[in-house]
Amino acid sequence: MYSGQVAIVSGGLGDIGRAIAFEFARRGASVAVGDLREPKAASGLLAELESHGARVRYDRVDVTDSAAVNAWVSAVEAALGAPSLVVPNAAVVTLGQALEFEPAAWARELRVNLDGAFHLAQAAARRLRDLKRAGRIVFVGSWAGHAPHTSIPAYCAAKAGLRMLMKCLAAELAPHGILVNEVAPGWVDAGLSGRLFDANPGSREAARARVPVGRLIEAAEVARQVAHLCDPENRHITGSVLLMDGGLSLVAPASSARGKAEA
Ligand SMILES: NC(=O)c1ccc[n+]([C@@H]2O[C@H](COP(=O)([O-])OP(=O)(O)OC[C@H]3O[C@@H](n4cnc5c(N)ncnc54)[C@H](O)[C@@H]3O)[C@@H](O)[C@H]2O)c1
């Protein structure tokens, strides 16, 4: 379905990023993955992606560094072609209520989760515009972008900012044939939340019990929705939030400090 297309995924060594890379490879795209770790940490992932027949590339890149992100996008274009399926996915989360939050932790979180996503979207969209090529940008947001969680205020603020960035870019880029959307998961049983569940006995079951549909999301389900928004047959969906929180937003109180597994 995506043969001839090049996907680029930041935070691609994380649980959801890996699943997104697999999903694009499975659907025939070439896949470029970037993350903070040394290239040897990506060898297993790259081998698996190649087993799907995908052309692949890994770069060590810090998304907070806009020059590095621009260089990454250029290197991917030279090796695989200009990325047309763009997924700003890298993120971090810091626990702590607002009054106790360290300024450096606050700044770091916004730099990775918001600025980093902007750097990748901007670099890739500029190239697509210059090449007069269509494309898709899918931000990996969160239900925390609209539901306040008092234990992760910087994460919530960054994800809320990401949502407005998504909308501004969707409006700006629509005339260029670049559609921009957000997938907003609730509690995923992997990655940021998965590690917090692992570290806090009983929290996984407690979280599951709070979700109206009675289950947590798997990383692969998030990946399928990211790929779905990139479907070439989707030619009218832009500026949208695909909320996949199992109904959490329908029932969760507006302000929540209910534990340590809320990313
Ligand atoms: N896990 C969840 O429950 C959940 C829920 C909603 C949204 N999300 C979102 O899903 C996305 C992926 O998160 P995950 O759960 O897979 O977490 P994860 O920690 O497994 O993956 C995040 C990846 O981002 C990378 N990263 C961090 N800072 C970076 C930087 N400066 N430059 C480049 N890479 C960097 C990390 O090394 C890591 O590999 C994030 O945007 C997160 O906010 C996760």
Side-chain angles (χ1 to χ4, degrees):
M1 181 190 280
Y2 297 131
S3 67
Q5 303 238 44
V6 178
I8 188 166
V9 184
S10 68
L13 295 185
D15 286 349
I16 293 173
R18 281 174 186 267
I20 293 167
F22 280 131
E23 191 61 31
F24 281 130
R26 203 176 65 74
R27 295 181 187 221
S30 300
V31 182
V33 168
D35 208 301
L36 288 175
R37 278 171 270 174
E38 295 292 341
K40 66 174 188 281
S43 55
L45 172 65
L46 296 185
E48 281 198 61
L49 295 177
E50 281 172 336
S51 75
H52 288 280
R55 296 167 66 222
V56 299
R57 179 183 172 91
Y58 176 77
D59 288 272
R60 184 181 183 198
V61 61
D62 182 341
V63 294
T64 66
D65 179 343
S66 69
V69 172
N70 275 277
W72 178 35
V73 170
S74 296
V76 170
E77 181 175 343
L80 303 176
S84 54
L85 310 172
V86 182
V87 186
N89 165 75
V92 292
V93 66
T94 307
L95 298 174
Q97 293 198 292
L99 298 193
E100 314 309 328
F101 226 86
E102 293 294 338
W106 179 271
R108 173 80 186 149
E109 198 142 330
L110 267 74
R111 286 183 62 216
V112 176
N113 298 5
L114 180 55
D115 300 3
F118 171 66
H119 295 150
L120 176 55
Q122 184 193 50
R126 279 180 173 163
R127 283 304 292 152
L128 290 171
R129 177 203 58 192
D130 292 350
L131 294 165
K132 300 193 186 328
R133 298 242 339 250
R136 301 281 194 276
I137 300 172
V138 181
F139 290 101
V140 181
S142 169
W143 76 299
H146 60 264
H149 295 59
T150 54
S151 62
I152 48 171
Y155 185 87
C156 289
K159 293 296 186 183
L162 188 72
R163 186 160 301 172
M164 185 50 76
L165 169 64
M166 179 277 289
K167 292 183 183 188
C168 291
L169 281 176
E172 181 176 339
L173 299 177
H176 299 285
I178 302 170
L179 307 186
V180 187
N181 294 289
E182 173 192 340
V183 166
W187 286 325
V188 184
D189 197 0
L192 299 175
S193 288
R195 288 193 294 277
L196 293 171
F197 292 141
D198 289 343
N200 294 278
S203 64
R204 179 175 274 106
E205 293 67 32
R208 192 177 288 131
R210 294 188 67 95
V211 185
V213 300
R215 60 185 292 276
L216 305 172
I217 318 167
E218 293 169 17
E221 293 175 81
V222 178
R224 282 197 290 277
Q225 295 310 319
V226 170
H228 166 67
L229 286 169
C230 294
D231 187 327
E233 296 203 351
N234 274 339
R235 299 174 61 195
H236 230 68
I237 302 175
T238 196
S240 292
V241 179
L242 199 165
L243 177 64
M244 44 186 313
D245 69 354
L248 266 173
S249 302
L250 304 173
V251 298
S255 178
S256 159
R258 64 175 171 281
K260 304 186 183 312
E262 301 184 301

